[in-house]
PDB file of all heavy atoms in Angstrom:
ATOM      1  N   THR A  53       1.497  -6.736  -0.912  1.00  0.00           N
ATOM      2  CA  THR A  53       1.347  -8.227  -0.579  1.00  0.00           C
ATOM      3  C   THR A  53      -0.077  -8.602  -1.000  1.00  0.00           C
ATOM      4  O   THR A  53      -0.440  -9.869  -1.123  1.00  0.00           O
ATOM      5  CB  THR A  53       1.638  -8.625   0.862  1.00  0.00           C
ATOM      6  OG1 THR A  53       0.697  -7.956   1.657  1.00  0.00           O
ATOM      7  CG2 THR A  53       3.021  -8.187   1.221  1.00  0.00           C
ATOM      8  N   TRP A  54      -0.997  -7.639  -1.127  1.00  0.00           N
ATOM      9  CA  TRP A  54      -2.309  -7.963  -1.619  1.00  0.00           C
ATOM     10  C   TRP A  54      -2.386  -8.517  -3.045  1.00  0.00           C
ATOM     11  O   TRP A  54      -3.259  -9.281  -3.400  1.00  0.00           O
ATOM     12  CB  TRP A  54      -3.220  -6.768  -1.430  1.00  0.00           C
ATOM     13  CG  TRP A  54      -3.855  -6.536  -0.042  1.00  0.00           C
ATOM     14  CD1 TRP A  54      -3.080  -6.331   1.070  1.00  0.00           C
ATOM     15  CD2 TRP A  54      -5.145  -6.697   0.350  1.00  0.00           C
ATOM     16  NE1 TRP A  54      -3.786  -6.266   2.165  1.00  0.00           N
ATOM     17  CE2 TRP A  54      -5.133  -6.402   1.806  1.00  0.00           C
ATOM     18  CE3 TRP A  54      -6.331  -6.948  -0.338  1.00  0.00           C
ATOM     19  CZ2 TRP A  54      -6.416  -6.483   2.490  1.00  0.00           C
ATOM     20  CZ3 TRP A  54      -7.449  -7.035   0.447  1.00  0.00           C
ATOM     21  CH2 TRP A  54      -7.519  -6.636   1.739  1.00  0.00           C
ATOM     22  N   VAL A  55      -1.461  -8.206  -3.818  1.00  0.00           N
ATOM     23  CA  VAL A  55      -1.255  -8.804  -5.187  1.00  0.00           C
ATOM     24  C   VAL A  55      -1.172 -10.242  -5.105  1.00  0.00           C
ATOM     25  O   VAL A  55      -1.837 -11.062  -5.640  1.00  0.00           O
ATOM     26  CB  VAL A  55      -0.143  -8.108  -5.930  1.00  0.00           C
ATOM     27  CG1 VAL A  55       0.120  -8.767  -7.330  1.00  0.00           C
ATOM     28  CG2 VAL A  55      -0.282  -6.590  -6.221  1.00  0.00           C
ATOM     29  N   THR A  56      -0.205 -10.725  -4.189  1.00  0.00           N
ATOM     30  CA  THR A  56       0.082 -12.078  -4.008  1.00  0.00           C
ATOM     31  C   THR A  56      -1.265 -12.795  -3.470  1.00  0.00           C
ATOM     32  O   THR A  56      -1.609 -13.785  -3.969  1.00  0.00           O
ATOM     33  CB  THR A  56       1.215 -12.417  -3.148  1.00  0.00           C
ATOM     34  OG1 THR A  56       2.480 -11.796  -3.728  1.00  0.00           O
ATOM     35  CG2 THR A  56       1.450 -13.859  -2.883  1.00  0.00           C
ATOM     36  N   MET A  57      -1.813 -12.150  -2.449  1.00  0.00           N
ATOM     37  CA  MET A  57      -2.951 -12.632  -1.931  1.00  0.00           C
ATOM     38  C   MET A  57      -4.153 -12.838  -2.770  1.00  0.00           C
ATOM     39  O   MET A  57      -4.880 -13.759  -2.865  1.00  0.00           O
ATOM     40  CB  MET A  57      -3.382 -11.725  -0.710  1.00  0.00           C
ATOM     41  CG  MET A  57      -4.654 -12.409   0.171  1.00  0.00           C
ATOM     42  SD  MET A  57      -5.033 -11.485   1.678  1.00  0.00           S
ATOM     43  CE  MET A  57      -4.970  -9.885   1.245  1.00  0.00           C
ATOM     44  N   ALA A  58      -4.367 -11.867  -3.669  1.00  0.00           N
ATOM     45  CA  ALA A  58      -5.377 -11.905  -4.717  1.00  0.00           C
ATOM     46  C   ALA A  58      -5.138 -13.013  -5.781  1.00  0.00           C
ATOM     47  O   ALA A  58      -6.071 -13.669  -6.104  1.00  0.00           O
ATOM     48  CB  ALA A  58      -5.475 -10.556  -5.465  1.00  0.00           C
ATOM     49  N   ILE A  59      -3.891 -13.264  -6.100  1.00  0.00           N
ATOM     50  CA  ILE A  59      -3.624 -14.360  -7.068  1.00  0.00           C
ATOM     51  C   ILE A  59      -3.543 -15.709  -6.516  1.00  0.00           C
ATOM     52  O   ILE A  59      -4.110 -16.581  -7.121  1.00  0.00           O
ATOM     53  CB  ILE A  59      -2.237 -14.066  -7.869  1.00  0.00           C
ATOM     54  CG1 ILE A  59      -2.492 -12.725  -8.660  1.00  0.00           C
ATOM     55  CG2 ILE A  59      -1.832 -15.206  -8.672  1.00  0.00           C
ATOM     56  CD1 ILE A  59      -1.088 -12.230  -9.316  1.00  0.00           C
ATOM     57  N   THR A  60      -3.203 -15.929  -5.204  1.00  0.00           N
ATOM     58  CA  THR A  60      -2.953 -17.158  -4.641  1.00  0.00           C
ATOM     59  C   THR A  60      -4.040 -17.623  -3.729  1.00  0.00           C
ATOM     60  O   THR A  60      -4.002 -18.804  -3.337  1.00  0.00           O
ATOM     61  CB  THR A  60      -1.634 -17.218  -3.885  1.00  0.00           C
ATOM     62  OG1 THR A  60      -1.661 -16.323  -2.809  1.00  0.00           O
ATOM     63  CG2 THR A  60      -0.418 -16.935  -4.825  1.00  0.00           C
ATOM     64  N   THR A  61      -5.133 -16.831  -3.502  1.00  0.00           N
ATOM     65  CA  THR A  61      -6.163 -17.246  -2.564  1.00  0.00           C
ATOM     66  C   THR A  61      -7.542 -16.950  -3.260  1.00  0.00           C
ATOM     67  O   THR A  61      -7.642 -16.176  -4.320  1.00  0.00           O
ATOM     68  CB  THR A  61      -6.168 -16.566  -1.233  1.00  0.00           C
ATOM     69  OG1 THR A  61      -6.473 -15.208  -1.340  1.00  0.00           O
ATOM     70  CG2 THR A  61      -4.692 -16.765  -0.585  1.00  0.00           C
ATOM     71  N   ASP A  62      -8.494 -17.397  -2.671  1.00  0.00           N
ATOM     72  CA  ASP A  62      -9.877 -17.081  -3.048  1.00  0.00           C
ATOM     73  C   ASP A  62     -10.497 -15.974  -2.394  1.00  0.00           C
ATOM     74  O   ASP A  62     -11.780 -15.514  -2.642  1.00  0.00           O
ATOM     75  CB  ASP A  62     -10.777 -18.351  -3.167  1.00  0.00           C
ATOM     76  CG  ASP A  62     -10.380 -19.405  -4.069  1.00  0.00           C
ATOM     77  OD1 ASP A  62      -9.796 -19.076  -5.159  1.00  0.00           O
ATOM     78  OD2 ASP A  62     -10.544 -20.655  -3.768  1.00  0.00           O
ATOM     79  N   GLY A  63      -9.765 -15.484  -1.317  1.00  0.00           N
ATOM     80  CA  GLY A  63     -10.359 -14.290  -0.623  1.00  0.00           C
ATOM     81  C   GLY A  63      -9.710 -14.200   0.742  1.00  0.00           C
ATOM     82  O   GLY A  63      -8.775 -14.918   1.039  1.00  0.00           O
ATOM     83  N   LEU A  64     -10.213 -13.184   1.500  1.00  0.00           N
ATOM     84  CA  LEU A  64      -9.771 -13.031   2.868  1.00  0.00           C
ATOM     85  C   LEU A  64     -11.080 -12.866   3.753  1.00  0.00           C
ATOM     86  O   LEU A  64     -11.841 -12.059   3.460  1.00  0.00           O
ATOM     87  CB  LEU A  64      -8.986 -11.613   2.928  1.00  0.00           C
ATOM     88  CG  LEU A  64      -8.531 -11.109   4.228  1.00  0.00           C
ATOM     89  CD1 LEU A  64      -7.580 -12.095   5.023  1.00  0.00           C
ATOM     90  CD2 LEU A  64      -7.882  -9.827   4.102  1.00  0.00           C
ATOM     91  N   ASP A  65     -10.919 -13.550   4.888  1.00  0.00           N
ATOM     92  CA  ASP A  65     -12.053 -13.687   5.834  1.00  0.00           C
ATOM     93  C   ASP A  65     -11.403 -13.033   7.133  1.00  0.00           C
ATOM     94  O   ASP A  65     -10.545 -13.716   7.818  1.00  0.00           O
ATOM     95  CB  ASP A  65     -12.529 -14.942   6.121  1.00  0.00           C
ATOM     96  CG  ASP A  65     -13.768 -14.968   7.034  1.00  0.00           C
ATOM     97  OD1 ASP A  65     -14.015 -13.912   7.772  1.00  0.00           O
ATOM     98  OD2 ASP A  65     -14.484 -16.129   7.084  1.00  0.00           O
ATOM     99  N   PHE A  66     -11.697 -11.853   7.515  1.00  0.00           N
ATOM    100  CA  PHE A  66     -11.091 -11.316   8.696  1.00  0.00           C
ATOM    101  C   PHE A  66     -11.452 -11.988   9.993  1.00  0.00           C
ATOM    102  O   PHE A  66     -10.953 -11.919  11.013  1.00  0.00           O
ATOM    103  CB  PHE A  66     -11.530  -9.824   8.958  1.00  0.00           C
ATOM    104  CG  PHE A  66     -10.884  -8.882   7.877  1.00  0.00           C
ATOM    105  CD1 PHE A  66     -11.613  -8.187   6.956  1.00  0.00           C
ATOM    106  CD2 PHE A  66      -9.472  -8.702   7.939  1.00  0.00           C
ATOM    107  CE1 PHE A  66     -11.136  -7.360   5.992  1.00  0.00           C
ATOM    108  CE2 PHE A  66      -8.954  -7.944   7.104  1.00  0.00           C
ATOM    109  CZ  PHE A  66      -9.725  -7.245   6.059  1.00  0.00           C
ATOM    110  N   THR A  68     -11.480 -15.296  10.406  1.00  0.00           N
ATOM    111  CA  THR A  68     -10.544 -16.453  10.520  1.00  0.00           C
ATOM    112  C   THR A  68      -9.010 -15.931  10.397  1.00  0.00           C
ATOM    113  O   THR A  68      -8.218 -16.685  10.781  1.00  0.00           O
ATOM    114  CB  THR A  68     -10.874 -17.627   9.643  1.00  0.00           C
ATOM    115  OG1 THR A  68     -10.690 -17.029   8.239  1.00  0.00           O
ATOM    116  CG2 THR A  68     -12.139 -18.151   9.854  1.00  0.00           C
ATOM    117  N   ALA A  69      -8.850 -14.762   9.862  1.00  0.00           N
ATOM    118  CA  ALA A  69      -7.523 -14.291   9.732  1.00  0.00           C
ATOM    119  C   ALA A  69      -7.463 -12.816  10.093  1.00  0.00           C
ATOM    120  O   ALA A  69      -7.420 -11.872   9.277  1.00  0.00           O
ATOM    121  CB  ALA A  69      -7.021 -14.403   8.270  1.00  0.00           C
ATOM    122  N   GLU A  96       4.381 -12.741  -7.977  1.00  0.00           N
ATOM    123  CA  GLU A  96       3.243 -13.428  -8.590  1.00  0.00           C
ATOM    124  C   GLU A  96       2.586 -12.845  -9.813  1.00  0.00           C
ATOM    125  O   GLU A  96       1.747 -13.255 -10.561  1.00  0.00           O
ATOM    126  CB  GLU A  96       2.029 -13.521  -7.594  1.00  0.00           C
ATOM    127  CG  GLU A  96       2.353 -14.540  -6.392  1.00  0.00           C
ATOM    128  CD  GLU A  96       2.666 -15.908  -6.871  1.00  0.00           C
ATOM    129  OE1 GLU A  96       1.972 -16.447  -7.760  1.00  0.00           O
ATOM    130  OE2 GLU A  96       3.492 -16.577  -6.194  1.00  0.00           O
ATOM    131  N   ASN A 101       0.032 -16.631 -14.436  1.00  0.00           N
ATOM    132  CA  ASN A 101      -1.076 -16.242 -13.590  1.00  0.00           C
ATOM    133  C   ASN A 101      -2.174 -15.435 -14.270  1.00  0.00           C
ATOM    134  O   ASN A 101      -3.151 -15.183 -13.756  1.00  0.00           O
ATOM    135  CB  ASN A 101      -0.599 -15.501 -12.429  1.00  0.00           C
ATOM    136  CG  ASN A 101       0.144 -16.468 -11.459  1.00  0.00           C
ATOM    137  OD1 ASN A 101      -0.243 -17.659 -11.377  1.00  0.00           O
ATOM    138  ND2 ASN A 101       1.174 -15.903 -10.717  1.00  0.00           N
ATOM    139  N   GLY A 103      -4.352 -16.262 -16.393  1.00  0.00           N
ATOM    140  CA  GLY A 103      -5.610 -16.963 -16.492  1.00  0.00           C
ATOM    141  C   GLY A 103      -6.435 -16.950 -15.222  1.00  0.00           C
ATOM    142  O   GLY A 103      -7.589 -17.262 -15.141  1.00  0.00           O
ATOM    143  N   LYS A 104      -5.775 -16.671 -14.164  1.00  0.00           N
ATOM    144  CA  LYS A 104      -6.489 -16.633 -12.836  1.00  0.00           C
ATOM    145  C   LYS A 104      -7.027 -15.264 -12.561  1.00  0.00           C
ATOM    146  O   LYS A 104      -7.954 -15.157 -11.705  1.00  0.00           O
ATOM    147  CB  LYS A 104      -5.434 -16.832 -11.682  1.00  0.00           C
ATOM    148  CG  LYS A 104      -4.732 -18.149 -11.773  1.00  0.00           C
ATOM    149  CD  LYS A 104      -3.740 -18.255 -10.584  1.00  0.00           C
ATOM    150  CE  LYS A 104      -3.004 -19.553 -10.578  1.00  0.00           C
ATOM    151  NZ  LYS A 104      -1.910 -19.701  -9.531  1.00  0.00           N
ATOM    152  N   LEU A 105      -6.788 -14.257 -13.338  1.00  0.00           N
ATOM    153  CA  LEU A 105      -7.248 -12.906 -13.059  1.00  0.00           C
ATOM    154  C   LEU A 105      -8.759 -12.745 -13.122  1.00  0.00           C
ATOM    155  O   LEU A 105      -9.421 -11.807 -12.454  1.00  0.00           O
ATOM    156  CB  LEU A 105      -6.553 -11.781 -13.922  1.00  0.00           C
ATOM    157  CG  LEU A 105      -5.074 -11.815 -13.771  1.00  0.00           C
ATOM    158  CD1 LEU A 105      -4.478 -10.684 -14.716  1.00  0.00           C
ATOM    159  CD2 LEU A 105      -4.711 -11.509 -12.324  1.00  0.00           C
ATOM    160  N   GLY A 106      -9.482 -13.577 -13.838  1.00  0.00           N
ATOM    161  CA  GLY A 106     -10.865 -13.583 -13.941  1.00  0.00           C
ATOM    162  C   GLY A 106     -11.655 -14.209 -12.761  1.00  0.00           C
ATOM    163  O   GLY A 106     -12.871 -14.079 -12.703  1.00  0.00           O
ATOM    164  N   ASP A 107     -10.997 -15.030 -12.097  1.00  0.00           N
ATOM    165  CA  ASP A 107     -11.542 -15.779 -11.022  1.00  0.00           C
ATOM    166  C   ASP A 107     -12.019 -14.943  -9.907  1.00  0.00           C
ATOM    167  O   ASP A 107     -11.401 -13.811  -9.539  1.00  0.00           O
ATOM    168  CB  ASP A 107     -10.515 -16.760 -10.408  1.00  0.00           C
ATOM    169  CG  ASP A 107     -10.084 -17.900 -11.487  1.00  0.00           C
ATOM    170  OD1 ASP A 107     -10.767 -18.032 -12.409  1.00  0.00           O
ATOM    171  OD2 ASP A 107      -9.120 -18.515 -11.214  1.00  0.00           O
ATOM    172  N   PRO A 108     -13.101 -15.386  -9.141  1.00  0.00           N
ATOM    173  CA  PRO A 108     -13.651 -14.459  -8.120  1.00  0.00           C
ATOM    174  C   PRO A 108     -12.699 -14.455  -6.860  1.00  0.00           C
ATOM    175  O   PRO A 108     -12.073 -15.410  -6.573  1.00  0.00           O
ATOM    176  CB  PRO A 108     -14.924 -15.095  -7.727  1.00  0.00           C
ATOM    177  CG  PRO A 108     -14.825 -16.503  -8.218  1.00  0.00           C
ATOM    178  CD  PRO A 108     -13.890 -16.504  -9.391  1.00  0.00           C
ATOM    179  N   TRP A 109     -12.759 -13.326  -6.139  1.00  0.00           N
ATOM    180  CA  TRP A 109     -12.000 -13.127  -4.805  1.00  0.00           C
ATOM    181  C   TRP A 109     -12.964 -12.480  -3.909  1.00  0.00           C
ATOM    182  O   TRP A 109     -13.613 -11.393  -4.268  1.00  0.00           O
ATOM    183  CB  TRP A 109     -10.796 -12.357  -5.171  1.00  0.00           C
ATOM    184  CG  TRP A 109      -9.792 -12.350  -4.101  1.00  0.00           C
ATOM    185  CD1 TRP A 109      -8.779 -13.317  -3.772  1.00  0.00           C
ATOM    186  CD2 TRP A 109      -9.733 -11.405  -2.825  1.00  0.00           C
ATOM    187  NE1 TRP A 109      -8.085 -13.039  -2.604  1.00  0.00           N
ATOM    188  CE2 TRP A 109      -8.609 -11.923  -2.040  1.00  0.00           C
ATOM    189  CE3 TRP A 109     -10.518 -10.332  -2.483  1.00  0.00           C
ATOM    190  CZ2 TRP A 109      -8.421 -11.226  -0.896  1.00  0.00           C
ATOM    191  CZ3 TRP A 109     -10.130  -9.671  -1.399  1.00  0.00           C
ATOM    192  CH2 TRP A 109      -8.998 -10.211  -0.524  1.00  0.00           C
ATOM    193  N   THR A 110     -13.162 -13.024  -2.641  1.00  0.00           N
ATOM    194  CA  THR A 110     -14.087 -12.382  -1.842  1.00  0.00           C
ATOM    195  C   THR A 110     -13.481 -11.795  -0.595  1.00  0.00           C
ATOM    196  O   THR A 110     -12.660 -12.490   0.058  1.00  0.00           O
ATOM    197  CB  THR A 110     -15.124 -13.511  -1.408  1.00  0.00           C
ATOM    198  OG1 THR A 110     -15.723 -14.041  -2.698  1.00  0.00           O
ATOM    199  CG2 THR A 110     -16.230 -13.000  -0.496  1.00  0.00           C
ATOM    200  N   LEU A 111     -13.898 -10.749  -0.125  1.00  0.00           N
ATOM    201  CA  LEU A 111     -13.458 -10.074   1.108  1.00  0.00           C
ATOM    202  C   LEU A 111     -14.678 -10.160   2.106  1.00  0.00           C
ATOM    203  O   LEU A 111     -15.771  -9.702   1.683  1.00  0.00           O
ATOM    204  CB  LEU A 111     -13.088  -8.617   0.837  1.00  0.00           C
ATOM    205  CG  LEU A 111     -12.557  -7.786   2.084  1.00  0.00           C
ATOM    206  CD1 LEU A 111     -11.231  -8.431   2.703  1.00  0.00           C
ATOM    207  CD2 LEU A 111     -12.257  -6.358   1.692  1.00  0.00           C
ATOM    208  N   ARG A 112     -14.419 -10.751   3.296  1.00  0.00           N
ATOM    209  CA  ARG A 112     -15.396 -10.905   4.170  1.00  0.00           C
ATOM    210  C   ARG A 112     -15.099 -10.881   5.537  1.00  0.00           C
ATOM    211  O   ARG A 112     -13.835 -10.846   5.888  1.00  0.00           O
ATOM    212  CB  ARG A 112     -16.199 -12.181   3.914  1.00  0.00           C
ATOM    213  CG  ARG A 112     -15.213 -13.368   4.210  1.00  0.00           C
ATOM    214  CD  ARG A 112     -16.007 -14.802   4.210  1.00  0.00           C
ATOM    215  NE  ARG A 112     -16.430 -15.118   2.956  1.00  0.00           N
ATOM    216  CZ  ARG A 112     -17.736 -15.439   2.618  1.00  0.00           C
ATOM    217  NH1 ARG A 112     -18.590 -15.522   3.646  1.00  0.00           N
ATOM    218  NH2 ARG A 112     -18.077 -15.683   1.377  1.00  0.00           N
ATOM    219  N   ASN A 113     -16.063 -10.771   6.475  1.00  0.00           N
ATOM    220  CA  ASN A 113     -15.797 -10.862   7.961  1.00  0.00           C
ATOM    221  C   ASN A 113     -16.727 -11.909   8.328  1.00  0.00           C
ATOM    222  O   ASN A 113     -17.993 -11.573   8.673  1.00  0.00           O
ATOM    223  CB  ASN A 113     -15.885  -9.570   8.696  1.00  0.00           C
ATOM    224  CG  ASN A 113     -15.533  -9.632  10.122  1.00  0.00           C
ATOM    225  OD1 ASN A 113     -14.971 -10.641  10.623  1.00  0.00           O
ATOM    226  ND2 ASN A 113     -15.751  -8.532  10.753  1.00  0.00           N
ATOM    227  N   GLY A 114     -16.597 -13.181   8.336  1.00  0.00           N
ATOM    228  CA  GLY A 114     -17.431 -14.213   8.750  1.00  0.00           C
ATOM    229  C   GLY A 114     -18.635 -14.254   7.618  1.00  0.00           C
ATOM    230  O   GLY A 114     -18.306 -14.377   6.412  1.00  0.00           O
ATOM    231  N   GLU A 116     -20.645 -11.870   6.847  1.00  0.00           N
ATOM    232  CA  GLU A 116     -20.706 -10.552   6.090  1.00  0.00           C
ATOM    233  C   GLU A 116     -19.783 -10.461   4.984  1.00  0.00           C
ATOM    234  O   GLU A 116     -18.551 -10.415   5.310  1.00  0.00           O
ATOM    235  CB  GLU A 116     -20.578  -9.380   7.140  1.00  0.00           C
ATOM    236  CG  GLU A 116     -20.724  -8.078   6.518  1.00  0.00           C
ATOM    237  CD  GLU A 116     -20.526  -6.855   7.452  1.00  0.00           C
ATOM    238  OE1 GLU A 116     -20.248  -7.125   8.676  1.00  0.00           O
ATOM    239  OE2 GLU A 116     -20.824  -5.695   7.043  1.00  0.00           O
ATOM    240  N   VAL A 117     -20.303 -10.440   3.881  1.00  0.00           N
ATOM    241  CA  VAL A 117     -19.460 -10.255   2.610  1.00  0.00           C
ATOM    242  C   VAL A 117     -19.310  -8.804   2.283  1.00  0.00           C
ATOM    243  O   VAL A 117     -20.425  -8.132   2.116  1.00  0.00           O
ATOM    244  CB  VAL A 117     -20.019 -11.045   1.441  1.00  0.00           C
ATOM    245  CG1 VAL A 117     -19.227 -10.802   0.180  1.00  0.00           C
ATOM    246  CG2 VAL A 117     -20.034 -12.553   1.907  1.00  0.00           C
ATOM    247  N   TYR A 118     -18.186  -8.255   2.299  1.00  0.00           N
ATOM    248  CA  TYR A 118     -17.814  -6.954   1.923  1.00  0.00           C
ATOM    249  C   TYR A 118     -17.866  -6.719   0.390  1.00  0.00           C
ATOM    250  O   TYR A 118     -18.485  -5.776  -0.183  1.00  0.00           O
ATOM    251  CB  TYR A 118     -16.428  -6.407   2.402  1.00  0.00           C
ATOM    252  CG  TYR A 118     -16.336  -6.356   3.930  1.00  0.00           C
ATOM    253  CD1 TYR A 118     -15.305  -6.877   4.543  1.00  0.00           C
ATOM    254  CD2 TYR A 118     -17.416  -5.812   4.732  1.00  0.00           C
ATOM    255  CE1 TYR A 118     -15.354  -6.901   5.954  1.00  0.00           C
ATOM    256  CE2 TYR A 118     -17.349  -5.843   6.108  1.00  0.00           C
ATOM    257  CZ  TYR A 118     -16.297  -6.300   6.681  1.00  0.00           C
ATOM    258  OH  TYR A 118     -16.158  -6.205   8.102  1.00  0.00           O
ATOM    259  N   SER A 119     -17.246  -7.675  -0.351  1.00  0.00           N
ATOM    260  CA  SER A 119     -17.274  -7.589  -1.748  1.00  0.00           C
ATOM    261  C   SER A 119     -16.767  -9.009  -2.439  1.00  0.00           C
ATOM    262  O   SER A 119     -16.070  -9.708  -1.693  1.00  0.00           O
ATOM    263  CB  SER A 119     -16.332  -6.492  -2.236  1.00  0.00           C
ATOM    264  OG  SER A 119     -14.944  -6.723  -1.859  1.00  0.00           O
ATOM    265  N   THR A 120     -17.282  -9.182  -3.614  1.00  0.00           N
ATOM    266  CA  THR A 120     -16.877 -10.257  -4.331  1.00  0.00           C
ATOM    267  C   THR A 120     -16.463  -9.744  -5.767  1.00  0.00           C
ATOM    268  O   THR A 120     -17.347  -9.186  -6.417  1.00  0.00           O
ATOM    269  CB  THR A 120     -17.750 -11.452  -4.448  1.00  0.00           C
ATOM    270  OG1 THR A 120     -18.027 -11.992  -3.151  1.00  0.00           O
ATOM    271  CG2 THR A 120     -17.228 -12.528  -5.382  1.00  0.00           C
ATOM    272  N   THR A 121     -15.173  -9.739  -6.034  1.00  0.00           N
ATOM    273  CA  THR A 121     -14.721  -9.166  -7.488  1.00  0.00           C
ATOM    274  C   THR A 121     -13.786 -10.108  -8.011  1.00  0.00           C
ATOM    275  O   THR A 121     -13.370 -11.147  -7.434  1.00  0.00           O
ATOM    276  CB  THR A 121     -13.929  -7.876  -7.116  1.00  0.00           C
ATOM    277  OG1 THR A 121     -12.858  -7.980  -6.257  1.00  0.00           O
ATOM    278  CG2 THR A 121     -15.003  -6.790  -6.470  1.00  0.00           C
ATOM    279  N   SER A 122     -13.391  -9.822  -9.300  1.00  0.00           N
ATOM    280  CA  SER A 122     -12.413 -10.660  -9.865  1.00  0.00           C
ATOM    281  C   SER A 122     -11.054 -10.488  -9.160  1.00  0.00           C
ATOM    282  O   SER A 122     -10.863  -9.472  -8.544  1.00  0.00           O
ATOM    283  CB  SER A 122     -12.143 -10.396 -11.390  1.00  0.00           C
ATOM    284  OG  SER A 122     -11.653  -9.071 -11.581  1.00  0.00           O
ATOM    285  N   LYS A 123     -10.090 -11.333  -9.422  1.00  0.00           N
ATOM    286  CA  LYS A 123      -8.792 -11.289  -8.867  1.00  0.00           C
ATOM    287  C   LYS A 123      -8.149  -9.908  -9.456  1.00  0.00           C
ATOM    288  O   LYS A 123      -7.342  -9.312  -8.690  1.00  0.00           O
ATOM    289  CB  LYS A 123      -7.967 -12.516  -9.025  1.00  0.00           C
ATOM    290  CG  LYS A 123      -8.419 -13.557  -8.281  1.00  0.00           C
ATOM    291  CD  LYS A 123      -7.726 -14.908  -8.491  1.00  0.00           C
ATOM    292  CE  LYS A 123      -8.150 -16.060  -7.624  1.00  0.00           C
ATOM    293  NZ  LYS A 123      -7.298 -16.610  -6.787  1.00  0.00           N
ATOM    294  N   ALA A 124      -8.314  -9.771 -10.796  1.00  0.00           N
ATOM    295  CA  ALA A 124      -7.906  -8.613 -11.385  1.00  0.00           C
ATOM    296  C   ALA A 124      -8.312  -7.343 -10.670  1.00  0.00           C
ATOM    297  O   ALA A 124      -7.568  -6.236 -10.411  1.00  0.00           O
ATOM    298  CB  ALA A 124      -8.146  -8.487 -12.830  1.00  0.00           C
ATOM    299  N   GLU A 125      -9.576  -7.261 -10.447  1.00  0.00           N
ATOM    300  CA  GLU A 125     -10.247  -6.058  -9.804  1.00  0.00           C
ATOM    301  C   GLU A 125      -9.762  -5.896  -8.378  1.00  0.00           C
ATOM    302  O   GLU A 125      -9.493  -4.792  -7.875  1.00  0.00           O
ATOM    303  CB  GLU A 125     -11.776  -6.142  -9.655  1.00  0.00           C
ATOM    304  CG  GLU A 125     -12.420  -5.999 -11.028  1.00  0.00           C
ATOM    305  CD  GLU A 125     -13.821  -6.467 -10.981  1.00  0.00           C
ATOM    306  OE1 GLU A 125     -14.218  -7.594 -10.549  1.00  0.00           O
ATOM    307  OE2 GLU A 125     -14.711  -5.642 -11.461  1.00  0.00           O
ATOM    308  N   THR A 126      -9.278  -6.920  -7.716  1.00  0.00           N
ATOM    309  CA  THR A 126      -8.740  -6.965  -6.309  1.00  0.00           C
ATOM    310  C   THR A 126      -7.287  -6.257  -6.434  1.00  0.00           C
ATOM    311  O   THR A 126      -6.950  -5.447  -5.671  1.00  0.00           O
ATOM    312  CB  THR A 126      -8.766  -8.368  -5.615  1.00  0.00           C
ATOM    313  OG1 THR A 126     -10.055  -8.788  -5.540  1.00  0.00           O
ATOM    314  CG2 THR A 126      -8.161  -8.243  -4.204  1.00  0.00           C
ATOM    315  N   ILE A 127      -6.615  -6.764  -7.457  1.00  0.00           N
ATOM    316  CA  ILE A 127      -5.341  -6.255  -7.573  1.00  0.00           C
ATOM    317  C   ILE A 127      -5.421  -4.577  -7.977  1.00  0.00           C
ATOM    318  O   ILE A 127      -4.664  -3.870  -7.366  1.00  0.00           O
ATOM    319  CB  ILE A 127      -4.460  -6.876  -8.852  1.00  0.00           C
ATOM    320  CG1 ILE A 127      -4.159  -8.288  -8.309  1.00  0.00           C
ATOM    321  CG2 ILE A 127      -3.183  -6.171  -9.087  1.00  0.00           C
ATOM    322  CD1 ILE A 127      -3.656  -9.196  -9.404  1.00  0.00           C
ATOM    323  N   MET A 129      -7.734  -2.563  -6.889  1.00  0.00           N
ATOM    324  CA  MET A 129      -8.093  -2.050  -5.687  1.00  0.00           C
ATOM    325  C   MET A 129      -6.847  -1.764  -4.842  1.00  0.00           C
ATOM    326  O   MET A 129      -6.646  -0.765  -4.323  1.00  0.00           O
ATOM    327  CB  MET A 129      -9.109  -2.868  -4.979  1.00  0.00           C
ATOM    328  CG  MET A 129      -9.616  -2.245  -3.637  1.00  0.00           C
ATOM    329  SD  MET A 129      -8.670  -2.653  -2.221  1.00  0.00           S
ATOM    330  CE  MET A 129      -8.722  -4.473  -2.275  1.00  0.00           C
TER     331      MET A 129
END
Side-chain angles (χ1 to χ4, degrees):
T53 65
W54 277 66
V55 173
T56 299
M57 184 171 48
I59 291 173
T60 62
T61 71
D62 293 327
L64 173 61
D65 184 350
F66 289 116
T68 59
E96 291 300 323
N101 286 329
K104 297 177 182 180
L105 296 180
D107 294 347
W109 194 88
T110 301
L111 182 64
R112 67 173 61 238
N113 188 7
E116 183 179 3
V117 174
Y118 297 132
S119 66
T120 298
T121 59
S122 70
K123 291 178 181 236
E125 290 169 309
T126 303
I127 293 169
M129 181 272 305

